[in-house]
Amino acid sequence: MDAASLPGALDLVASGGAGLSPEKRAALGASLPLLQRDYRFERVWFWGRIQGLRGAYYIAEGLGPDRAAPRSRLYSLNCVEWSLLPPASEEMVAQAEKLKGRFQGDPSFEYELAEIKAEDAEKLTEDGQEPVIKEEARLVATIEQIDKAVGIIPRGSFVKTPLGSVHENRNFEGLSLTEAKKLSSYFHLTEPVNLKNKTLLEKADLDPSTDFLDSLEHDIPKGSWTVQLEKGGVVVVLRSLLWLGLTFYHVPMTKQYGYVYFGTGEKNLDLPFML
Amino acid sequence: MAEPPGEPRPEARAGPAAGRDRGAQEQSWPEEGPEQPPYEGFEPEEVPPWPRQPGLGPAAYEYQGVRQASGQPQELRRSVYQPPAPSQDPYRAQDQRGSFYQPHAPGQAPYQSETPEQYLCQPHGTEQGPYEPEVSEIAVSERYALGQDSYRTEEPRQSAYESYAAGLDPYQTHEPRSVYETYTLQEDPYQAYEPGHGPYQPHEPGYGLYQPGYSTYDEQVPDPNPRMLAMQNAKAYLLKSSTTSGLNLYDHLANMLTKILDEQPTNAVDIIENISKDVKWAQFRKKMDTLRDEHEILPTFEVAEKRKALFLKVHGEGDEELEDEIAETPLPNVMETAFYFEQAGIGLSKDETYHILLALKQLISVQPIQTCRFWGKILGLEMNYIIAEVQYNDRAEEEEAEDEEDNEEGGKAMSEDKGGDEDEEKQEDDEPPQSTYRPPPVIPKEDNGTGTNKYVYFVCNEPGKPWVKLPPVTPAQIVCARKIKKFFTGRLDAPVVSFPPFPGNEANYLRAQIARISAGTQICPIGFYQFGEEEGDEEEEGGGGRDTYEENPDFQPLSVVEMVDSLSTWVHHTQNILKQGRCVWLNPFQKSEEEEEGEEEEKAEETDEVQQEIGPPLLTPVSEDEGIQNVPAWTAQYSTNLVPQYAVAILQSNRWPGAYAFASGRRFDNIYLGWGHKYSPENHTPSLPPPVQTEYPSGPEITETNDPTVEEEQALKAAQEEALAAAGEEEEEEEDEDEDEDD
């Protein structure tokens, strides 16, 4: 969610039970604009919080002029001091997928990968192999996975210019109520995968400036999103069941929308059994 | 080209390429970008007479041009906003403002807004410059007609300027066309505006040759009359009403420009299509019935009505009731607990919490309730559940118990009848072997007010909706709920499709999960509760120990630091559920309850050995909770590190993510906000079906043995004869025979 609209937005997603304490809200209100200044971001999003066993990570994302470019991610343990995270590499993501269990809450914690025991791991690190993976890398990989899998925006909120860059659509007035209840009105904010597989008939109806992303309609498994009208029908809240804790909100017919993650940072692999 | 450059200019400004433009028209204004295709090298035959049509909007070309043009910035005509000729046009006033949009240095600035006409009338070569917006006479029309073709470049005409138009050459070498021709062409929109396919494209050379009235050698119109006529024609065309929508282009453009000039958005050129769309939409809205809008938001209104009902006070009670209400009300102070949880960032929004408070108040006024607590919220797929934990008044409890017994007895009576029928059948002969399967005994549920059924739970989907009571939970449901993991849908009557099949619907599953969560995560600071003083009860109750507690009047609250540092300062105040599904162990094979506490007895029953199950007794410290793998069961934190004086101790459960507890001084509470599932680091594996039952016991009677071979039979025969012969040595021979038979 956008840093500027943080207080109001937190109220809208609070129906899931997770939120921020007044102290953290105040701290974010002070530190996020400073992030914007220091890193020269055009937009700063408060991405969410990953709860570890001994502490929590607060994550912020910074966006540049091209909103679809890879975003810079920062984390903080107290919402005041932020550290930049390295960009996610595929190797990191692949390694992090093997890890199971909760985050510890300590960024320098080292996980040993599967077979290797803790004692041997230290010896092996000298060989140049790296059987350990730091929690920081796991954090990066998890955020990347979550963004890729369930980071969503309403249709029409971003436009792609003919030069390829993506900007916010100044003319986006919000989805109507009927549109807001449909999954096809929301897009994944990542490289589209299914777009080219659409039939020509479908493509003919698309508007290349706004329909350049994958919609949620064809997400697998079907039913991995819940759509609810909260607060007396005022706000539409989408919750992901694949990554429990990802909440997206949108107030129909207004420009307010955003998503935030409050959770443990673990993928819900039991989803097919639970539906 | 007969006219000197200076003169035609002001006029030329009027109506940029009005009569000539084809294709994208309302866009032609915003779209006239800086690129006037330079006109160098164009020694065209003639400059077609340019109709000086002051003040006309971009000429009437099909709207199609818009579509194509919009995607192509190069389409933009430079003279986007050509002010119409000063003295000729009602829109002239806009000219002055028009200059706002475009620099008007005639012929000098790179992004000059000069109408094509000007160029047409100008001798070539007079205005040369690197960025000279030289327009080929004809090109004007093609410029617009181009639409898609703007990218065509024709070398001879390229000037440095064209490079702006990213390779676009809207100004094709077309022969000059007369005004009249353009109109002809326009009347045939499809012909005039082919999207770049097929022959005879407007942009292709030689296009005009095939058009009627198109002459390669047309001159510009020397005298004004034809020009006026052309202008009127153009305007007439613009005023033509659309057959489908009833609008006409002239008015639409006028409205659009008025709106732009009134609002003066930044970078209007980038959003011109949307502005156009908005203007059209605004038109339509007036004509449509407003009822249509209201239908759309009706559901919101209904919900708002329900919520409003919460706020209405039931008038009918006097002031005495008011005092009663204030004095001893079971209504929990939900807002206060919400405040403490909010310090840790846990909880629902204040709005929602307040609505819940009012809903609870409604519940209390309807049901005879002694204590009430906001238990929490469980999220579901379609709707969520708000759960209240309630204890009835004593009288109400008895009534309830009676009701339930009646129901159960009714059920039992039916089953007894069935049993009777079966007995009769057993007496018949020649019946197939009886199945030796006896279903495991049904473990009876605990009484209301004890164990897992200590509290009664009410749920509603949203504050304002009616509260529904959940049925008491049975051990079978708890045992099954431990094996399955399903999301709640939000409808209490939804079936739970799972394996092992859940005995009940979603209401039962919800109740079972609530029971599990309560048993696992309801904690309080140590010392707050203490056991009752009656020792005599201990022997009668099961190995679980005491199950009642009372508030300790001498409770000394511990400091927050102590509460957070050590988990042994917290204790469970809900009984642990045994593996059996009950809090108090019940031997299913015994009719009478005779348990001895503290001993593990192995009672060897007919088929099973039933061990008495013992769980942690009530009021065990939380520090003894087992973690899952290497994850501790609880995480303790301060609500704030910056202000330790007012910090609140917060505990989060890791076994049941979503269960929280806080303690601050004498105040403490628990809440659950989550999906209603236990945490498991391993993936959920559904239970496998049980092994196939043996159909019959296998024993020697049924087992096939090998038939004796011929040799064996003969040996047997011989042996038997020997046995008869030697009667005295029977024993040994029998043994031999036995051995032989066994072979």
Side-chain angles (χ1 to χ4, degrees):
Chain A
M1 53 180 56
D2 203 41
S5 54
L6 197 64
L10 281 175
D11 265 348
L12 294 172
V13 294
S15 53
L20 292 177
S21 64
E23 178 195 327
K24 295 285 186 292
R25 281 190 210 201
L28 283 177
S31 62
L32 288 180
L34 291 179
L35 274 187
Q36 191 168 359
R37 174 200 75 183
D38 292 339
Y39 288 89
R40 313 247 192 279
F41 292 136
E42 283 200 8
R43 285 256 187 277
V44 178
W45 283 1
F46 175 62
W47 185 89
R49 176 186 72 198
I50 292 188
Q51 189 69 37
L53 286 178
R54 295 194 289 271
Y57 298 104
Y58 296 86
I59 316 287
E61 280 186 338
L63 286 83
D66 182 2
R67 304 282 191 259
R71 296 167 234 170
S72 325
R73 300 182 172 116
L74 302 102
Y75 79 95
S76 161
L77 298 168
N78 55 5
C79 281
V80 179
E81 285 140 12
W82 296 85
S83 325
L84 189 62
L85 284 170
S89 63
E90 285 185 12
E91 191 191 307
M92 246 196 255
V93 175
Q95 275 190 329
E97 279 195 331
K98 298 186 204 155
L99 294 173
K100 281 197 246 186
R102 298 278 302 272
F103 278 82
Q104 294 296 323
D106 170 20
S108 54
F109 180 84
E110 291 179 345
Y111 296 89
E112 57 272 5
L113 289 175
E115 319 69 78
I116 306 175
K117 292 182 195 170
E119 306 97 299
D120 299 329
E122 295 176 16
K123 297 174 198 169
L124 281 175
T125 40
E126 295 160 358
D127 295 345
Q129 298 174 20
E130 289 184 3
V132 296
I133 177 169
K134 279 191 150 184
E135 176 140 305
E136 210 178 64
R138 185 182 175 196
L139 188 64
V140 172
T142 307
I143 300 173
E144 173 76 16
Q145 277 182 300
I146 292 180
D147 264 343
K148 221 170 168 177
V150 289
I152 59 179
I153 50 163
R155 176 175 182 270
S157 56
F158 283 85
V159 280
K160 191 168 187 172
T161 61
L163 303 173
S165 66
V166 172
H167 296 285
E168 274 138 17
N169 183 1
R170 284 168 50 194
N171 275 290
F172 177 61
E173 291 292 339
L175 302 173
S176 66
L177 196 60
T178 38
E179 276 179 4
K181 291 194 216 162
K182 293 192 225 162
L183 279 182
S184 55
S185 331
Y186 302 99
F187 290 156
H188 289 279
L189 188 56
T190 55
E191 289 298 316
V193 172
N194 290 332
L195 212 52
K196 46 186 179 300
N197 298 338
K198 288 190 174 241
T199 65
L200 275 181
L201 272 182
E202 289 172 342
K203 280 198 226 180
D205 290 331
L206 299 181
D207 177 5
S209 62
T210 52
D211 293 309
F212 57 97
L213 300 167
D214 282 332
S215 89
L216 296 190
E217 250 181 328
H218 303 292
D219 269 8
I220 294 168
K222 200 159 170 174
S224 64
W225 289 93
T226 68
V227 182
Q228 288 177 3
L229 278 180
E230 304 257 346
K231 285 178 97 83
V234 162
V235 60
V236 171
V237 173
L238 268 74
R239 278 187 248 274
S240 166
L241 300 177
L242 185 60
W243 292 93
L244 286 176
L246 192 289
T247 315
F248 169 87
Y249 74 93
H250 173 52
V251 183
M253 299 314 289
T254 71
K255 292 179 93 146
Q256 301 171 45
Y257 65 88
Y259 70 86
V260 71
Y261 181 83
F262 281 110
T264 60
E266 288 169 295
K267 197 169 185 178
N268 180 20
L269 290 169
D270 302 331
L271 180 58
F273 291 117
M274 295 167 79
L275 285 176
Chain B
M1 291 207 267
E3 295 160 17
E7 203 193 274
R9 257 181 233 165
E11 292 179 351
R13 298 264 168 88
R20 289 298 174 120
D21 299 353
R22 304 222 282 71
Q25 279 5 164
E26 45 270 22
Q27 262 76 24
S28 68
W29 266 359
E31 284 179 324
E32 286 176 68
E35 13 287 2
Q36 295 260 341
Y39 223 59
E40 283 172 338
F42 176 88
E43 293 329 306
E45 303 57 56
E46 290 50 39
V47 177
W50 196 252
R52 303 254 184 340
Q53 294 151 13
L56 276 185
Y61 289 89
E62 303 81 64
Y63 195 70
Q64 291 172 2
V66 177
R67 253 190 296 130
Q68 266 79 11
S70 55
Q72 293 149 3
Q74 297 77 3
E75 266 314 301
L76 307 189
R77 306 271 167 261
R78 291 188 12 207
S79 37
V80 167
Y81 195 66
Q82 298 285 351
S87 50
Q88 298 169 21
D89 192 32
Y91 292 93
R92 186 175 13 146
Q94 298 171 356
D95 303 351
Q96 325 313 9
R97 281 183 286 163
S99 56
F100 172 87
Y101 295 89
Q102 297 272 351
H104 279 316
Q108 314 306 326
Y111 302 100
Q112 174 129 17
S113 50
E114 274 192 295
T115 49
E117 296 105 330
Q118 296 177 30
Y119 299 113
L120 291 176
C121 308
Q122 283 149 15
H124 275 287
T126 49
E127 303 170 18
Q128 301 291 330
Y131 304 111
E132 200 69 359
E134 286 188 295
V135 174
S136 102
E137 302 84 315
I138 313 141
V140 171
S141 34
E142 279 91 44
R143 199 191 315 176
Y144 294 106
L146 276 200
Q148 332 66 36
D149 266 357
S150 22
Y151 297 90
R152 286 239 275 154
T153 57
E154 297 187 20
E155 275 55 38
R157 322 245 137 87
Q158 300 313 305
S159 78
Y161 200 65
E162 279 229 341
S163 56
Y164 283 104
L168 165 116
D169 182 6
Y171 311 112
Q172 304 305 320
T173 36
H174 269 276
E175 285 127 295
R177 267 182 255 176
S178 74
V179 172
Y180 302 97
E181 279 134 26
T182 55
Y183 288 123
T184 328
L185 293 165
Q186 288 149 22
E187 272 148 30
D188 182 1
Y190 301 105
Q191 184 190 10
Y193 205 68
E194 284 275 356
H197 305 297
Y200 314 133
Q201 292 315 304
H203 58 272
E204 284 183 4
Y207 172 64
L209 290 173
Y210 300 91
Q211 302 308 319
Y214 193 83
S215 146
T216 327
Y217 301 101
D218 258 346
E219 302 286 345
Q220 56 179 322
V221 177
D223 53 326
N225 275 340
R227 224 178 289 138
M228 290 303 298
L229 186 57
M231 180 178 77
Q232 284 164 10
N233 284 346
K235 188 165 178 179
Y237 176 80
L238 289 178
L239 282 167
K240 252 198 316 196
S241 300
S242 151
T243 46
T244 48
S245 60
L247 306 173
N248 69 50
L249 191 53
Y250 193 82
D251 288 339
H252 179 68
L253 290 171
N255 291 337
M256 210 176 65
L257 290 171
T258 315
K259 181 180 162 127
I260 292 180
L261 292 169
D262 284 340
E263 296 175 2
Q264 305 225 339
T266 54
N267 293 340
V269 62
D270 293 332
I271 49 173
I272 189 68
E273 298 87 354
N274 288 309
I275 293 177
S276 166
K277 203 164 59 159
D278 287 342
V279 168
K280 275 197 180 169
W281 199 36
Q283 297 262 344
F284 278 122
R285 252 195 293 192
K286 289 172 201 159
K287 292 180 193 165
M288 275 171 45
D289 204 341
T290 50
L291 273 181
R292 206 159 144 177
D293 278 349
E294 286 193 33
H295 272 295
E296 218 186 353
I297 40 184
L298 203 51
T300 320
F301 288 168
E302 282 179 7
V303 182
E305 283 280 329
K306 287 205 190 116
R307 289 183 159 216
K308 182 179 162 189
L310 282 177
F311 288 89
L312 297 172
K313 242 178 139 171
V314 176
H315 294 288
E317 304 157 8
D319 284 335
E320 310 122 11
E321 299 269 353
L322 192 61
E323 286 186 10
D324 265 354
E325 263 190 63
I326 299 177
E328 271 196 23
T329 168
L331 186 66
N333 194 347
V334 177
M335 296 306 289
E336 191 187 351
T337 30
F339 165 76
Y340 283 109
F341 277 120
E342 193 194 354
Q343 300 303 306
I346 299 158
L348 311 170
S349 65
K350 286 217 180 76
D351 272 359
E352 197 167 349
T353 320
Y354 203 85
H355 281 109
I356 291 176
L357 175 66
L358 291 176
L360 286 177
K361 179 172 173 207
Q362 203 185 51
L363 175 67
I364 287 171
S365 64
V366 171
Q367 302 270 352
I369 286 174
Q370 188 183 13
T371 64
C372 173
R373 194 176 81 84
F374 173 51
W375 185 88
K377 181 173 180 182
I378 288 190
L379 302 170
L381 297 181
E382 294 165 30
M383 292 183 282
N384 306 323
Y385 291 117
I386 293 170
I387 300 157
E389 185 185 74
V390 143
Q391 259 184 328
Y392 275 131
N393 286 333
D394 294 332
R395 259 184 308 128
E397 266 188 43
E398 293 167 6
E399 290 170 3
E400 246 201 68
E402 288 170 8
D403 287 338
E404 291 190 18
E405 282 174 14
D406 291 336
N407 290 341
E408 286 182 13
E409 283 171 8
K412 280 183 195 164
M414 290 173 48
S415 57
E416 281 172 4
D417 291 337
K418 291 182 191 163
D421 292 337
E422 290 176 4
D423 287 334
E424 291 172 6
E425 290 178 9
K426 281 179 191 170
Q427 295 164 7
E428 298 175 7
D429 295 333
D430 294 339
E431 44 174 49
Q434 284 295 311
S435 155
T436 51
Y437 169 73
R438 272 178 298 141
V442 173
I443 301 173
K445 72 176 170 71
E446 290 177 290
D447 294 332
N448 294 342
T450 66
T452 46
N453 288 322
K454 182 165 185 193
Y455 295 101
V456 178
Y457 292 92
F458 283 86
V459 296
C460 74
N461 285 123
E462 268 200 20
K465 293 208 178 153
W467 290 92
V468 177
K469 185 171 120 168
L470 288 181
V473 66
T474 66
Q477 288 168 356
I478 291 192
V479 166
C480 191
R482 284 176 171 149
K483 297 183 189 156
I484 66 176
K485 198 172 177 186
K486 295 288 248 177
F487 278 123
F488 294 97
T489 60
R491 291 169 287 124
L492 285 174
D493 51 358
V496 177
V497 180
S498 66
F499 184 79
F502 187 79
N505 57 14
E506 179 154 317
N508 304 102
Y509 183 44
L510 181 63
R511 180 65 179 82
Q513 290 292 92
I514 293 175
R516 289 174 69 200
I517 293 173
S518 292
T521 63
Q522 302 281 324
I523 57 180
C524 67
I526 194 168
F528 192 87
Y529 289 119
Q530 66 184 12
F531 289 121
E533 298 277 329
E534 307 156 22
E535 297 278 337
D537 292 337
E538 288 184 24
E539 295 181 3
E540 292 185 12
E541 296 167 17
R546 319 150 186 132
D547 67 349
T548 55
Y549 49 80
E550 58 181 29
E551 265 191 50
N552 179 359
D554 305 323
F555 171 55
Q556 295 297 329
L558 298 169
S559 74
V560 168
V561 178
E562 285 173 350
M563 301 295 298
V564 170
D565 281 345
S566 150
L567 284 179
S568 53
T569 48
W570 297 81
V571 296
H572 286 275
H573 64 268
T574 325
Q575 266 184 314
N576 178 266
I577 301 185
L578 303 169
K579 207 160 143 221
Q580 201 184 39
R582 293 171 51 106
C583 291
V584 169
W585 189 75
L586 176 69
N587 188 342
F589 296 108
Q590 277 195 347
K591 301 266 170 89
S592 61
E593 293 182 305
E594 296 175 29
E595 286 101 27
E596 302 183 25
E597 60 171 69
E599 293 180 26
E600 290 187 358
E601 294 190 3
E602 290 184 4
K603 302 186 178 178
E605 297 300 315
E606 293 138 2
T607 47
D608 304 317
E609 280 188 4
V610 179
Q611 283 196 356
Q612 178 177 20
E613 296 169 16
I614 292 186
L618 199 57
L619 300 187
T620 21
V622 156
S623 50
E624 303 199 9
D625 279 358
E626 297 170 0
I628 300 185
Q629 292 186 357
N630 53 354
V631 169
W634 294 90
T635 301
Q637 303 174 323
Y638 297 102
S639 63
T640 163
N641 289 320
L642 295 174
V643 187
Q645 299 91 327
Y646 300 115
V648 176
I650 304 281
L651 247 67
Q652 299 179 11
S653 171
N654 295 325
R655 287 206 307 191
W656 291 97
Y660 306 99
F662 84 87
S664 169
R666 295 193 74 94
R667 296 283 300 121
F668 78 93
D669 206 348
N670 302 276
I671 201 171
Y672 183 84
L673 300 164
W675 295 91
H677 297 114
K678 194 169 189 177
Y679 172 69
S680 80
E682 301 299 327
N683 298 344
H684 167 75
T685 13
S687 18
L688 295 172
V692 176
Q693 285 180 320
T694 53
E695 296 175 63
Y696 44 82
S698 80
E701 317 86 66
I702 307 183
T703 326
E704 264 188 47
T705 55
N706 293 328
D707 287 338
T709 60
V710 176
E711 292 83 7
E712 286 174 10
E713 282 186 358
Q714 286 176 347
L716 179 61
K717 212 172 166 190
Q720 279 178 341
E721 290 167 359
E722 288 178 18
L724 290 173
E729 296 171 327
E730 281 180 12
E731 291 179 14
E732 291 176 356
E733 289 169 345
E734 277 175 359
E735 288 176 3
D736 290 342
E737 287 167 9
D738 285 342
E739 289 171 9
D740 289 344
E741 281 177 43
D742 286 343
D743 288 344

